[in-house]
Amino acid sequence: MLIYKEASIRGAWIQWFICTLLSLLHGVISETNTTLDIMTKYPLIDGHNDLALRLRMHFKNKLSNFSIHDNSNFATDIRRLAAGHVGGQVFAAYVLCTAQDKDAVRLTLEQIDVIRRMCTENPEMELVTTAEGMRNSTKIACLISIEGGHSIDSSLPALRMFYQLGVRSMALTHNCNTPWAESSASLYPNYQRKNNSLTDFGKAVVNEMNRLGMLVDLSHSSWETARSVLKHSTAPVLFSHSSAYAICNNVRNIPDDLLLLLKENGGLIMVNFYSSFVACSHNANVSIVADHFDHIKRVIGAESIGIGADYDGAQGFPKGLEDVSKYPALIEELISRNWTEEELAGVLRLNFLRVFRKVEKVRDELLHISPSEVEISLSELNNSCRVMLIHPGLPKSSHQNGNAPLMPVKALICFVLLWIQLQ
């Protein structure tokens, strides 16, 4: 009888264990199915990807030597973008800060060229320039951004020409200051001076971006620059790949007071996945990334959040989020934290489309405004490559290094000296 009871207890325990395991598996399968259903209905728009940088570093932008469909050496390829349910990707045209005041404009043009070629030569991808184009695309919609204001060489005409080439977003800084805006980093000596958060010319850049309908990107900008832009811009702005400072105290992340200003502005923060920005270490997982989403949601609401993972830019991503195929792992984690389908639809794509449409609406309201002719003063620059265009008949010495002609000044001095002698 004792043996029978022990067997009965053991059988009951095994039955309980199996039922519990099946219940857990059912929950996991249910969450996975819900994730895939939501991401199929609302394909992700990611705010920042640096694949173009990898193409330059490893292939010198020669697409004929690169398989974009399947390349395990990078975090991004078409096969894994499809697996990650990516319906839109903002690709960054980025050049190093060491090109500032040198050939940054040329290099940026080359990066724009390789993005345009990549997105027009592959049938799975489509180059878009409007919110409507991104919303309606049935392919992987590509939007071009410039990462770093040094790419325009402090020239509003250059900014306008980049817009004509399809650029719809620009980060005001990268890891170096420009003459008119301040970076969150101090890695380079460029334009390290006081009161450089947003100069008058910097405000003119923001104004012209508002007029054009170009997204102002504040990732990489200093908090003071971000604060100034948020108070100045008439259109919503975004942080294309930044996370919450309250979770990880890195200056590339955004503190709560700036999040509140972003809410007032109607803009968007697209959360970065880079381990050093989400965990302040190389030991990160999906849960800590989700903590950033939870925190930002508590402070300003889910409607102000997107995803800007920074794949192929940063090195070192959380376990479970190693490449562009892994986005569903994050959405599944957020579902387990009771995020609703409406909130996730916003995070995945609708929030970005709303902000982009509002930027275009501000553009339409400013159609009566002529293109800005504001120029940065030469005293704000430190660029020996910049010259003043003067009639070639004038003496060479009068226009080297951007100096004004000296002949009228010399003539005036001679006249004054002669007049003194005659007195």
Coordinates of all heavy atoms in Angstrom, one line a residue, residues 288-379:
I288 N 17.5 44.7 -20.1 CA 18.0 46.0 -19.8 C 17.6 47.0 -20.9 O 17.3 48.2 -20.6 CB 19.5 46.0 -19.6 CG1 20.0 47.4 -19.0 CG2 20.3 45.7 -20.8 CD1 19.5 47.7 -17.6
V289 N 17.5 46.5 -22.1 CA 17.0 47.4 -23.2 C 15.6 47.8 -23.0 O 15.2 48.9 -23.1 CB 17.2 46.8 -24.6 CG1 16.6 47.6 -25.7 CG2 18.7 46.5 -24.9
A290 N 14.8 46.8 -22.6 CA 13.4 47.0 -22.3 C 13.2 48.0 -21.1 O 12.2 48.7 -21.1 CB 12.6 45.7 -22.0
D291 N 14.1 48.0 -20.2 CA 14.1 48.9 -19.1 C 14.1 50.4 -19.6 O 13.4 51.2 -19.0 CB 15.2 48.7 -18.1 CG 15.1 47.4 -17.3 OD1 14.0 46.8 -17.3 OD2 16.1 47.0 -16.7
H292 N 14.9 50.6 -20.6 CA 14.9 52.0 -21.2 C 13.5 52.4 -21.8 O 13.0 53.5 -21.6 CB 16.0 52.1 -22.3 CG 17.4 52.1 -21.8 ND1 18.1 53.3 -21.6 CD2 18.2 51.1 -21.3 CE1 19.3 53.0 -21.1 NE2 19.3 51.6 -21.0
F293 N 12.9 51.4 -22.4 CA 11.5 51.7 -23.0 C 10.6 52.0 -21.8 O 9.7 52.9 -21.9 CB 11.1 50.5 -23.8 CG 11.7 50.5 -25.2 CD1 13.0 49.9 -25.4 CD2 11.0 51.0 -26.3 CE1 13.6 49.8 -26.6 CE2 11.6 50.9 -27.6 CZ 12.9 50.4 -27.7
D294 N 10.6 51.2 -20.8 CA 9.7 51.3 -19.7 C 9.9 52.7 -19.0 O 8.9 53.4 -18.7 CB 9.9 50.2 -18.6 CG 9.2 48.9 -19.0 OD1 8.4 48.9 -19.9 OD2 9.6 47.9 -18.4
H295 N 11.2 53.1 -18.8 CA 11.4 54.4 -18.2 C 10.9 55.5 -19.0 O 10.3 56.4 -18.5 CB 12.9 54.5 -17.9 CG 13.3 55.9 -17.3 ND1 13.1 56.2 -16.0 CD2 13.7 57.0 -17.9 CE1 13.4 57.4 -15.7 NE2 13.8 58.0 -16.9
I296 N 11.2 55.5 -20.3 CA 10.8 56.7 -21.1 C 9.3 56.7 -21.2 O 8.7 57.8 -21.2 CB 11.4 56.5 -22.6 CG1 13.0 56.6 -22.5 CG2 10.9 57.6 -23.5 CD1 13.7 56.2 -23.8
K297 N 8.7 55.6 -21.3 CA 7.2 55.5 -21.3 C 6.6 56.1 -20.0 O 5.6 56.9 -20.1 CB 6.7 54.1 -21.4 CG 5.2 53.8 -21.3 CD 4.9 52.4 -21.4 CE 3.5 52.1 -21.1 NZ 3.2 50.6 -21.2
R298 N 7.2 55.9 -18.9 CA 6.8 56.4 -17.6 C 6.9 58.0 -17.6 O 6.1 58.7 -17.1 CB 7.5 55.9 -16.4 CG 7.1 54.5 -16.0 CD 7.6 54.1 -14.6 NE 9.1 54.0 -14.6 CZ 9.8 52.9 -14.9 NH1 9.1 51.8 -15.2 NH2 11.1 52.9 -14.9
V299 N 8.0 58.5 -18.2 CA 8.3 59.9 -18.2 C 7.5 60.7 -19.2 O 6.9 61.7 -18.9 CB 9.8 60.1 -18.4 CG1 10.1 61.7 -18.4 CG2 10.6 59.5 -17.2
I300 N 7.4 60.2 -20.4 CA 6.8 61.0 -21.5 C 5.7 60.2 -22.3 O 5.2 60.8 -23.3 CB 7.8 61.7 -22.4 CG1 8.7 60.6 -23.1 CG2 8.6 62.7 -21.7 CD1 9.7 61.2 -24.1
G301 N 5.6 58.9 -22.1 CA 4.6 58.2 -22.8 C 5.1 57.4 -24.0 O 6.1 57.8 -24.6
A302 N 4.4 56.3 -24.3 CA 4.9 55.4 -25.4 C 4.8 56.1 -26.8 O 5.5 55.7 -27.7 CB 4.0 54.2 -25.4
E303 N 4.0 57.1 -26.9 CA 3.8 57.8 -28.2 C 5.1 58.6 -28.6 O 5.2 59.1 -29.7 CB 2.6 58.7 -28.2 CG 2.7 59.9 -27.2 CD 2.2 59.6 -25.8 OE1 2.1 58.4 -25.5 OE2 2.1 60.5 -25.0
S304 N 6.0 58.8 -27.7 CA 7.3 59.5 -28.0 C 8.5 58.6 -28.2 O 9.6 59.1 -28.2 CB 7.6 60.5 -26.8 OG 6.5 61.4 -26.6
I305 N 8.2 57.3 -28.4 CA 9.3 56.4 -28.5 C 9.4 55.7 -29.8 O 8.3 55.3 -30.4 CB 9.2 55.3 -27.3 CG1 9.0 56.0 -26.0 CG2 10.4 54.4 -27.3 CD1 8.7 55.0 -24.9
G306 N 10.6 55.4 -30.3 CA 10.8 54.6 -31.5 C 12.0 53.7 -31.3 O 12.5 53.6 -30.1
I307 N 12.5 53.1 -32.3 CA 13.7 52.3 -32.2 C 14.8 52.8 -33.2 O 14.5 52.9 -34.4 CB 13.3 50.8 -32.6 CG1 12.4 50.2 -31.5 CG2 14.6 49.9 -32.7 CD1 11.8 48.9 -31.8
G308 N 16.0 53.0 -32.7 CA 17.1 53.4 -33.6 C 18.3 52.6 -33.1 O 19.2 53.1 -32.4
A309 N 18.4 51.3 -33.5 CA 19.3 50.4 -32.9 C 20.8 50.7 -33.0 O 21.6 50.3 -32.2 CB 19.0 49.0 -33.4
D310 N 21.2 51.4 -34.1 CA 22.6 51.7 -34.4 C 23.4 50.5 -34.8 O 24.6 50.4 -34.6 CB 23.2 52.3 -33.1 CG 24.5 53.1 -33.4 OD1 24.7 53.4 -34.6 OD2 25.2 53.5 -32.5
Y311 N 22.8 49.5 -35.5 CA 23.5 48.4 -36.0 C 24.5 48.8 -37.1 O 24.3 49.7 -37.9 CB 22.5 47.4 -36.6 CG 21.8 46.6 -35.6 CD1 20.4 46.6 -35.6 CD2 22.4 45.8 -34.7 CE1 19.7 45.8 -34.7 CE2 21.7 45.1 -33.7 CZ 20.4 45.1 -33.7 OH 19.7 44.3 -32.8
D312 N 25.7 48.2 -37.1 CA 26.8 48.4 -37.9 C 27.5 49.7 -37.7 O 28.4 50.1 -38.4 CB 26.4 48.2 -39.4 CG 26.3 46.7 -39.8 OD1 27.3 46.0 -39.4 OD2 25.4 46.3 -40.4
G313 N 27.1 50.4 -36.6 CA 27.8 51.6 -36.2 C 28.6 51.3 -35.0 O 29.8 51.4 -35.0
A314 N 27.8 51.0 -33.9 CA 28.5 50.6 -32.7 C 29.0 49.2 -32.8 O 28.6 48.4 -33.6 CB 27.5 50.7 -31.5
Q315 N 29.9 48.8 -31.9 CA 30.4 47.5 -31.8 C 30.1 46.9 -30.4 O 30.5 47.4 -29.4 CB 31.9 47.5 -31.9 CG 32.4 47.9 -33.3 CD 32.1 46.8 -34.4 OE1 32.3 45.6 -34.2 NE2 31.5 47.3 -35.5
G316 N 29.2 45.9 -30.4 CA 28.8 45.2 -29.1 C 27.4 45.5 -28.7 O 27.0 46.5 -28.3
F317 N 26.6 44.5 -29.0 CA 25.1 44.6 -28.8 C 24.7 43.5 -27.7 O 25.3 42.5 -27.5 CB 24.4 44.4 -30.1 CG 24.5 45.6 -31.0 CD1 25.5 45.7 -31.9 CD2 23.6 46.7 -30.9 CE1 25.7 46.9 -32.7 CE2 23.7 47.8 -31.7 CZ 24.8 47.9 -32.6
P318 N 23.5 43.8 -27.1 CA 23.1 42.9 -26.0 C 22.8 41.4 -26.5 O 22.5 41.2 -27.7 CB 21.7 43.5 -25.6 CG 21.9 44.9 -26.0 CD 22.7 44.9 -27.3
K319 N 23.0 40.5 -25.6 CA 22.7 39.1 -25.9 C 21.2 39.0 -26.3 O 20.3 39.4 -25.6 CB 23.0 38.3 -24.7 CG 22.8 36.8 -25.0 CD 23.2 35.9 -23.7 CE 23.0 34.5 -24.0 NZ 23.4 33.6 -22.8
G320 N 21.0 38.4 -27.5 CA 19.6 38.3 -28.0 C 19.2 39.4 -29.0 O 18.2 39.3 -29.6
L321 N 20.1 40.4 -29.1 CA 19.8 41.5 -30.0 C 21.1 41.8 -30.9 O 21.5 43.0 -31.1 CB 19.4 42.8 -29.3 CG 18.1 42.8 -28.6 CD1 17.9 44.0 -27.7 CD2 16.9 42.7 -29.6
E322 N 21.7 40.8 -31.3 CA 23.0 40.9 -32.0 C 23.0 41.5 -33.4 O 24.0 42.0 -33.9 CB 23.7 39.5 -32.1 CG 24.1 39.0 -30.7 CD 22.9 38.2 -30.1 OE1 21.8 38.1 -30.6 OE2 23.2 37.6 -29.0
D323 N 21.8 41.4 -34.1 CA 21.8 41.9 -35.5 C 20.3 42.2 -35.8 O 19.4 42.1 -35.0 CB 22.3 40.8 -36.5 CG 21.6 39.5 -36.4 OD1 20.3 39.5 -36.6 OD2 22.2 38.5 -36.2
V324 N 20.1 42.6 -37.1 CA 18.8 43.2 -37.4 C 17.7 42.1 -37.5 O 16.5 42.5 -37.7 CB 18.8 43.9 -38.8 CG1 19.7 45.1 -38.7 CG2 19.3 43.0 -39.9
S325 N 18.0 40.9 -37.4 CA 17.0 39.8 -37.4 C 16.3 39.7 -36.0 O 15.3 39.0 -35.9 CB 17.5 38.5 -37.8 OG 18.4 38.0 -36.8
K326 N 16.9 40.3 -35.0 CA 16.5 40.0 -33.6 C 15.5 41.0 -33.0 O 15.2 40.9 -31.8 CB 17.8 40.0 -32.7 CG 18.8 39.0 -33.2 CD 18.3 37.6 -33.2 CE 19.4 36.6 -33.7 NZ 20.5 36.5 -32.9
Y327 N 15.0 42.0 -33.7 CA 14.0 42.9 -33.2 C 12.8 42.2 -32.5 O 12.3 42.7 -31.5 CB 13.5 43.8 -34.3 CG 14.5 44.8 -34.8 CD1 15.0 44.6 -36.1 CD2 14.9 45.9 -34.1 CE1 15.9 45.5 -36.7 CE2 15.8 46.8 -34.7 CZ 16.3 46.6 -35.9 OH 17.2 47.5 -36.5
P328 N 12.3 41.1 -33.0 CA 11.2 40.4 -32.4 C 11.4 40.1 -30.9 O 10.5 40.1 -30.1 CB 10.9 39.2 -33.2 CG 11.4 39.6 -34.6 CD 12.6 40.4 -34.3
A329 N 12.7 39.8 -30.5 CA 13.0 39.5 -29.1 C 12.6 40.7 -28.2 O 12.1 40.5 -27.1 CB 14.5 39.1 -29.0
L330 N 12.9 41.9 -28.7 CA 12.5 43.1 -27.8 C 11.0 43.2 -27.7 O 10.5 43.5 -26.7 CB 13.2 44.3 -28.4 CG 12.7 45.6 -27.8 CD1 13.2 45.7 -26.4 CD2 13.2 46.8 -28.6
I331 N 10.3 43.1 -28.9 CA 8.9 43.3 -28.8 C 8.2 42.2 -28.0 O 7.3 42.5 -27.2 CB 8.3 43.2 -30.3 CG1 9.0 44.3 -31.2 CG2 6.8 43.4 -30.3 CD1 8.9 45.7 -30.6
E332 N 8.8 41.0 -28.0 CA 8.2 39.9 -27.1 C 8.4 40.3 -25.7 O 7.6 40.0 -24.8 CB 8.9 38.6 -27.5 CG 8.3 37.4 -26.8 CD 8.8 36.1 -27.4 OE1 9.0 36.0 -28.6 OE2 9.0 35.1 -26.6
E333 N 9.6 40.8 -25.4 CA 9.9 41.3 -24.0 C 8.9 42.3 -23.5 O 8.4 42.3 -22.4 CB 11.3 41.7 -23.8 CG 11.7 42.3 -22.5 CD 11.7 41.3 -21.4 OE1 11.8 40.1 -21.7 OE2 11.7 41.7 -20.2
L334 N 8.6 43.3 -24.4 CA 7.7 44.4 -24.1 C 6.3 43.9 -23.9 O 5.5 44.3 -23.0 CB 7.8 45.5 -25.1 CG 9.1 46.2 -25.2 CD1 9.1 47.3 -26.3 CD2 9.4 46.9 -23.9
I335 N 5.9 42.9 -24.7 CA 4.6 42.3 -24.5 C 4.5 41.6 -23.2 O 3.4 41.7 -22.5 CB 4.3 41.2 -25.7 CG1 4.1 42.0 -27.0 CG2 3.1 40.3 -25.3 CD1 4.0 41.0 -28.2
S336 N 5.6 41.0 -22.7 CA 5.6 40.3 -21.4 C 5.4 41.3 -20.3 O 5.1 41.0 -19.2 CB 6.8 39.4 -21.2 OG 8.0 40.2 -21.0
R337 N 5.8 42.6 -20.6 CA 5.7 43.7 -19.6 C 4.4 44.5 -19.8 O 4.2 45.6 -19.3 CB 6.9 44.6 -19.7 CG 8.2 43.9 -19.5 CD 9.4 44.9 -19.6 NE 10.6 44.2 -19.3 CZ 11.7 44.8 -18.8 NH1 11.7 46.1 -18.5 NH2 12.8 44.1 -18.6
N338 N 3.4 43.9 -20.5 CA 2.1 44.4 -20.7 C 2.0 45.7 -21.6 O 1.1 46.5 -21.4 CB 1.4 44.7 -19.3 CG 1.3 43.5 -18.4 OD1 0.9 42.4 -18.9 ND2 1.7 43.6 -17.2
W339 N 2.9 45.8 -22.5 CA 2.7 46.9 -23.5 C 1.6 46.4 -24.4 O 1.5 45.3 -24.9 CB 4.0 47.1 -24.3 CG 5.1 47.8 -23.5 CD1 5.6 47.5 -22.3 CD2 5.7 49.1 -24.0 NE1 6.5 48.5 -22.0 CE2 6.6 49.4 -23.0 CE3 5.6 49.9 -25.1 CZ2 7.4 50.6 -23.0 CZ3 6.4 51.0 -25.2 CH2 7.3 51.4 -24.2
T340 N 0.8 47.4 -24.8 CA -0.4 47.1 -25.6 C 0.0 47.1 -27.1 O 1.0 47.6 -27.5 CB -1.5 48.1 -25.4 OG1 -1.1 49.4 -25.9 CG2 -1.9 48.2 -23.9
E341 N -0.9 46.5 -27.9 CA -0.7 46.5 -29.4 C -0.6 48.0 -29.9 O 0.2 48.3 -30.7 CB -1.8 45.8 -30.1 CG -1.6 45.8 -31.6 CD -2.6 44.9 -32.3 OE1 -3.0 43.9 -31.7 OE2 -2.9 45.2 -33.5
E342 N -1.4 48.8 -29.4 CA -1.4 50.2 -29.8 C -0.1 50.9 -29.5 O 0.5 51.6 -30.3 CB -2.6 51.0 -29.1 CG -2.7 52.5 -29.5 CD -3.8 53.2 -28.8 OE1 -4.4 52.6 -27.9 OE2 -4.0 54.4 -29.1
E343 N 0.4 50.7 -28.3 CA 1.7 51.2 -27.9 C 2.8 50.7 -28.8 O 3.7 51.4 -29.2 CB 2.0 50.9 -26.4 CG 1.1 51.7 -25.5 CD 1.2 51.2 -24.0 OE1 1.7 50.0 -23.8 OE2 0.9 52.0 -23.1
L344 N 2.8 49.4 -29.0 CA 3.9 48.8 -29.8 C 3.8 49.2 -31.3 O 4.8 49.4 -32.0 CB 3.8 47.2 -29.7 CG 4.1 46.7 -28.3 CD1 3.8 45.2 -28.2 CD2 5.6 47.0 -28.0
A345 N 2.6 49.4 -31.8 CA 2.4 49.9 -33.2 C 3.1 51.2 -33.3 O 3.7 51.5 -34.3 CB 0.9 50.0 -33.5
G346 N 2.9 52.1 -32.3 CA 3.6 53.4 -32.3 C 5.1 53.3 -32.3 O 5.8 53.9 -33.1
V347 N 5.6 52.4 -31.4 CA 7.0 52.2 -31.3 C 7.6 51.7 -32.6 O 8.7 52.1 -33.0 CB 7.4 51.3 -30.1 CG1 8.8 50.8 -30.1 CG2 7.1 52.0 -28.8
L348 N 6.9 50.8 -33.2 CA 7.4 50.1 -34.4 C 7.5 51.0 -35.6 O 8.4 51.0 -36.4 CB 6.6 48.9 -34.7 CG 6.8 47.7 -33.8 CD1 5.7 46.6 -34.0 CD2 8.2 47.0 -34.1
R349 N 6.4 51.9 -35.8 CA 6.5 52.7 -37.0 C 5.6 54.0 -36.9 O 5.9 55.0 -37.5 CB 6.1 51.9 -38.2 CG 4.7 51.4 -38.3 CD 4.4 50.5 -39.5 NE 4.3 51.2 -40.8 CZ 5.2 51.0 -41.8 NH1 6.2 50.3 -41.6 NH2 5.0 51.7 -42.9
L350 N 4.4 53.9 -36.3 CA 3.5 55.0 -36.4 C 4.0 56.3 -35.7 O 3.6 57.4 -36.2 CB 2.1 54.5 -35.7 CG 1.4 53.3 -36.4 CD1 0.1 53.1 -35.8 CD2 1.3 53.5 -37.9
N351 N 4.7 56.2 -34.7 CA 5.3 57.4 -34.0 C 6.2 58.1 -35.0 O 6.2 59.4 -35.1 CB 6.0 57.1 -32.7 CG 5.0 56.5 -31.7 OD1 3.8 56.7 -31.7 ND2 5.6 55.9 -30.7
F352 N 7.1 57.4 -35.7 CA 8.0 58.0 -36.6 C 7.3 58.6 -37.7 O 7.6 59.8 -38.1 CB 9.0 57.0 -37.1 CG 10.0 57.5 -38.1 CD1 11.2 58.1 -37.7 CD2 9.7 57.5 -39.5 CE1 12.1 58.7 -38.6 CE2 10.7 58.0 -40.4 CZ 11.8 58.6 -39.9
L353 N 6.3 57.9 -38.3 CA 5.5 58.5 -39.4 C 4.8 59.7 -39.0 O 4.7 60.7 -39.8 CB 4.5 57.4 -39.9 CG 5.2 56.2 -40.6 CD1 4.1 55.2 -41.0 CD2 5.9 56.7 -41.9
R354 N 4.2 59.8 -37.8 CA 3.5 61.0 -37.3 C 4.5 62.2 -37.2 O 4.1 63.3 -37.7 CB 2.9 60.7 -35.9 CG 2.1 61.9 -35.3 CD 1.8 61.7 -33.9 NE 3.0 61.9 -33.0 CZ 3.5 60.9 -32.3 NH1 3.0 59.7 -32.3 NH2 4.6 61.2 -31.6
V355 N 5.7 61.9 -36.7 CA 6.6 63.0 -36.5 C 7.1 63.5 -37.9 O 7.2 64.7 -38.2 CB 7.8 62.6 -35.7 CG1 9.0 63.6 -35.8 CG2 7.4 62.4 -34.2
F356 N 7.4 62.6 -38.8 CA 7.8 62.9 -40.2 C 6.7 63.7 -40.9 O 7.0 64.7 -41.5 CB 8.1 61.6 -40.9 CG 8.9 61.8 -42.2 CD1 9.4 63.1 -42.6 CD2 9.2 60.7 -43.0 CE1 10.1 63.2 -43.8 CE2 10.0 60.8 -44.2 CZ 10.4 62.1 -44.6
R357 N 5.5 63.3 -40.8 CA 4.4 64.0 -41.4 C 4.3 65.5 -40.8 O 4.0 66.4 -41.5 CB 3.0 63.3 -41.2 CG 2.8 62.1 -42.1 CD 1.4 61.7 -42.1 NE 0.9 61.3 -40.8 CZ 0.9 60.0 -40.4 NH1 1.4 59.1 -41.1 NH2 0.5 59.7 -39.2
K358 N 4.4 65.6 -39.5 CA 4.4 66.9 -38.9 C 5.5 67.8 -39.4 O 5.3 69.0 -39.6 CB 4.5 66.8 -37.3 CG 4.5 68.1 -36.6 CD 3.2 68.9 -36.8 CE 3.2 70.2 -36.0 NZ 2.1 71.1 -36.3
V359 N 6.7 67.3 -39.6 CA 7.8 68.0 -40.1 C 7.5 68.5 -41.5 O 7.7 69.7 -41.9 CB 9.1 67.2 -40.1 CG1 10.2 67.8 -41.0 CG2 9.6 66.9 -38.7
E360 N 6.8 67.6 -42.3 CA 6.4 68.0 -43.7 C 5.3 69.1 -43.6 O 5.2 70.0 -44.5 CB 5.9 66.8 -44.4 CG 7.1 65.8 -44.7 CD 6.6 64.5 -45.4 OE1 5.4 64.1 -45.2 OE2 7.3 63.9 -46.1
K361 N 4.4 69.0 -42.6 CA 3.4 70.0 -42.5 C 3.9 71.4 -42.2 O 3.5 72.4 -42.7 CB 2.4 69.6 -41.3 CG 1.2 70.5 -41.1 CD 0.3 69.9 -40.1 CE -1.0 70.7 -40.0 NZ -0.7 72.1 -39.4
V362 N 4.9 71.4 -41.3 CA 5.6 72.7 -41.0 C 6.3 73.2 -42.3 O 6.2 74.4 -42.6 CB 6.7 72.5 -39.9 CG1 7.5 73.8 -39.7 CG2 6.0 72.2 -38.6
R363 N 6.9 72.3 -43.0 CA 7.5 72.7 -44.3 C 6.4 73.4 -45.2 O 6.7 74.5 -45.8 CB 8.1 71.5 -45.0 CG 8.5 71.7 -46.5 CD 8.5 70.4 -47.3 NE 7.2 69.9 -47.4 CZ 6.9 68.7 -47.8 NH1 7.9 67.8 -48.1 NH2 5.7 68.2 -47.9
D364 N 5.3 72.8 -45.3 CA 4.2 73.3 -46.2 C 3.7 74.7 -45.7 O 3.4 75.5 -46.5 CB 3.0 72.3 -46.2 CG 3.4 71.0 -46.9 OD1 4.4 71.0 -47.6 OD2 2.7 70.0 -46.7
E365 N 3.8 74.9 -44.4 CA 3.4 76.2 -43.8 C 4.4 77.3 -44.0 O 4.1 78.4 -43.9 CB 3.1 76.0 -42.3 CG 1.9 75.1 -41.9 CD 1.9 74.7 -40.5 OE1 2.8 75.1 -39.7 OE2 0.9 74.1 -40.0
L366 N 5.6 76.9 -44.4 CA 6.7 77.8 -44.6 C 7.0 78.0 -46.1 O 8.1 78.5 -46.4 CB 7.9 77.4 -43.8 CG 7.8 77.3 -42.3 CD1 9.1 76.7 -41.7 CD2 7.5 78.6 -41.7
L367 N 6.1 77.6 -46.9 CA 6.4 77.7 -48.4 C 6.6 79.1 -48.9 O 7.3 79.4 -49.9 CB 5.2 77.0 -49.2 CG 5.2 75.5 -49.2 CD1 3.9 75.0 -49.9 CD2 6.4 74.9 -49.8
H368 N 6.1 80.1 -48.1 CA 6.2 81.5 -48.5 C 7.6 82.0 -48.1 O 7.9 83.1 -48.6 CB 5.1 82.3 -47.9 CG 5.2 82.3 -46.4 ND1 4.9 81.2 -45.6 CD2 5.6 83.3 -45.5 CE1 5.1 81.5 -44.3 NE2 5.5 82.8 -44.2
I369 N 8.3 81.3 -47.4 CA 9.7 81.7 -46.9 C 10.7 81.4 -48.0 O 10.8 80.2 -48.4 CB 10.1 81.1 -45.6 CG1 9.0 81.4 -44.5 CG2 11.4 81.6 -45.1 CD1 8.9 82.9 -44.2
S370 N 11.5 82.3 -48.4 CA 12.6 82.1 -49.4 C 13.7 81.4 -48.7 O 13.9 81.4 -47.5 CB 13.1 83.4 -50.0 OG 12.0 84.1 -50.6
P371 N 14.5 80.6 -49.5 CA 15.7 80.0 -49.0 C 16.6 81.0 -48.3 O 16.8 82.1 -48.8 CB 16.4 79.4 -50.3 CG 15.3 79.2 -51.2 CD 14.3 80.3 -51.0
S372 N 17.2 80.6 -47.2 CA 18.0 81.5 -46.4 C 19.3 81.8 -47.1 O 19.9 80.9 -47.7 CB 18.3 80.9 -45.0 OG 19.2 81.7 -44.3
E373 N 19.7 83.0 -47.0 CA 21.0 83.5 -47.6 C 22.0 83.8 -46.5 O 23.0 84.5 -46.7 CB 20.8 84.7 -48.5 CG 20.0 84.3 -49.7 CD 19.8 85.4 -50.7 OE1 20.0 86.6 -50.3 OE2 19.4 85.2 -51.9
V374 N 21.7 83.4 -45.2 CA 22.6 83.6 -44.1 C 23.9 82.9 -44.4 O 23.9 81.7 -44.8 CB 22.0 83.1 -42.8 CG1 23.0 83.2 -41.6 CG2 20.7 84.0 -42.5
E375 N 25.0 83.6 -44.1 CA 26.3 83.0 -44.2 C 27.0 83.0 -42.8 O 26.8 84.0 -42.1 CB 27.2 83.7 -45.2 CG 26.7 83.6 -46.6 CD 27.6 84.3 -47.6 OE1 28.5 85.0 -47.2 OE2 27.4 84.1 -48.8
I376 N 27.8 82.0 -42.5 CA 28.6 82.1 -41.3 C 29.8 83.0 -41.5 O 30.3 83.1 -42.6 CB 29.1 80.7 -41.0 CG1 29.6 80.6 -39.5 CG2 30.1 80.1 -41.9 CD1 29.9 79.2 -39.0
S377 N 30.1 83.8 -40.4 CA 31.2 84.7 -40.5 C 32.5 84.0 -40.6 O 32.7 82.9 -39.9 CB 31.2 85.7 -39.3 OG 31.4 85.0 -38.1
L378 N 33.5 84.5 -41.3 CA 34.8 83.9 -41.4 C 35.5 83.8 -40.0 O 36.3 82.9 -39.8 CB 35.7 84.6 -42.4 CG 35.2 84.5 -43.9 CD1 36.1 85.3 -44.7 CD2 35.2 83.1 -44.3
S379 N 35.1 84.7 -39.1 CA 35.8 84.7 -37.8 C 35.4 83.5 -37.0 O 36.0 83.1 -36.0 CB 35.4 86.0 -37.1 OG 34.0 86.0 -36.8

